[in-house]
Amino acid sequence: DTTALFSALSSSHSPIVVDELQRLSTPESAGVRESGDVLTCLILNRWDILLPLRSERRVTGFIALGAKRSGDPYFDSDLDLLTMLATQASVVLANASLYQELKTVKDHVEAVLQNMESGVVAVDTAETITILNPAAELLLAVPAHRFIGESLDALPHPLANAVRVALRRGIVVFQSEVQLHRPNGGSLHLVLSTSVLRAASGTILGAILVCSD
């Protein structure tokens, strides 16, 4: 059971060293010793040092090290180096966790876009098309790869104009009706809405258009 170890690491601002627990009898070390008998756990597992792994000030794991092969104790310089390595490991693990969370969100968003009945088009601040879902492909009768990475001007003028106004002036439309002229001479009536994509800070990230026939 590592509950006691996590509790001790959470209350300690430095690595837990078994030699210090055995040698010192200060109130601080006594408190650590009382936390689920951490000292006994270290001895039973032959761990000499516990280094906390933290994420946003919360202990998410730890690195346990046994005795040195030389038999020498861990000196302050050793602890400083190990603490730095544990901090770097914490950052790597936090980034890996964040990447997985972002990938999960991205996969969910893509699944939603793939199954939406309305066409969705998104552009970034450089007015480059970044998203065009299957429903938009059907409405425009052009494969998505012909649009992705292209300028906003690749879209039919009424759609491009609505997105550009939202992106440049912050003026959005809701269920506005437009008429598109097809290359074969026919026409298509669409109902479209636009919105501006913003970061939590308020910075504009792009614009999005949703349309249906």
Side-chain angles (χ1 to χ4, degrees):
D1 183 8
T2 59
T3 302
L5 301 182
F6 276 97
S7 177
L9 289 168
S10 296
S11 61
S12 175
H13 298 289
S14 58
I16 295 177
V17 183
V18 69
D19 286 345
E20 294 182 0
L21 295 185
Q22 292 175 320
R23 184 175 64 254
L24 300 178
S25 59
T26 62
E28 181 180 354
S29 64
V32 173
R33 188 179 296 118
E34 293 170 1
S35 180
D37 202 358
V38 174
L39 179 59
T40 299
C41 183
L42 292 176
I43 294 174
L44 289 176
N45 287 283
R46 297 182 179 180
W47 293 339
D48 279 27
I49 295 179
L50 288 182
L51 299 155
L53 299 174
R54 302 180 186 273
S55 177
E56 298 181 352
R57 300 182 180 180
R58 181 173 60 88
V59 176
T60 57
F62 61 83
I63 298 174
L65 298 176
K68 287 185 176 181
R69 290 186 178 181
S70 64
D72 294 334
Y74 285 95
F75 300 105
D76 288 344
S77 57
D78 297 322
L79 295 177
D80 289 342
L81 175 60
L82 291 171
T83 298
M84 181 183 69
L85 293 175
T87 299
Q88 293 176 344
S90 296
V91 173
V92 170
L93 291 172
N95 288 341
S97 177
L98 178 60
Y99 170 79
Q100 185 57 48
E101 291 178 9
L102 291 176
K103 184 177 184 303
T104 299
V105 172
K106 178 176 179 291
D107 290 344
H108 176 71
V109 171
E110 288 182 349
V112 171
L113 289 173
Q114 290 291 323
N115 291 282
M116 282 186 66
E117 294 183 358
S118 297
V120 178
V121 180
V123 301
D124 59 19
T125 53
E127 298 187 359
T128 299
I129 300 170
T130 57
I131 293 174
L132 193 141
N133 74 338
E137 282 187 288
L138 291 175
L139 290 173
L140 300 176
V142 180
H145 67 81
R146 296 277 298 274
F147 290 103
I148 302 298
E150 297 296 324
S151 166
L152 180 59
D153 292 321
L155 293 173
H157 178 71
L159 304 186
N161 185 61
V163 176
R164 183 171 286 111
V165 170
L167 191 59
R168 294 184 180 181
R169 301 169 58 186
I171 300 175
V172 300
V173 297
F174 179 70
Q175 294 188 344
S176 175
E177 294 186 10
V178 298
Q179 182 177 359
L180 304 184
H181 297 286
R182 292 186 181 278
N184 61 9
S187 62
L188 175 66
H189 293 271
L190 293 179
V191 176
L192 63 86
S193 299
T194 58
S195 62
V196 179
L197 300 175
R198 298 180 184 272
S201 62
T203 303
I204 294 178
L205 302 176
I208 190 167
L209 176 144
V210 180
C211 58
S212 58
D213 56 9

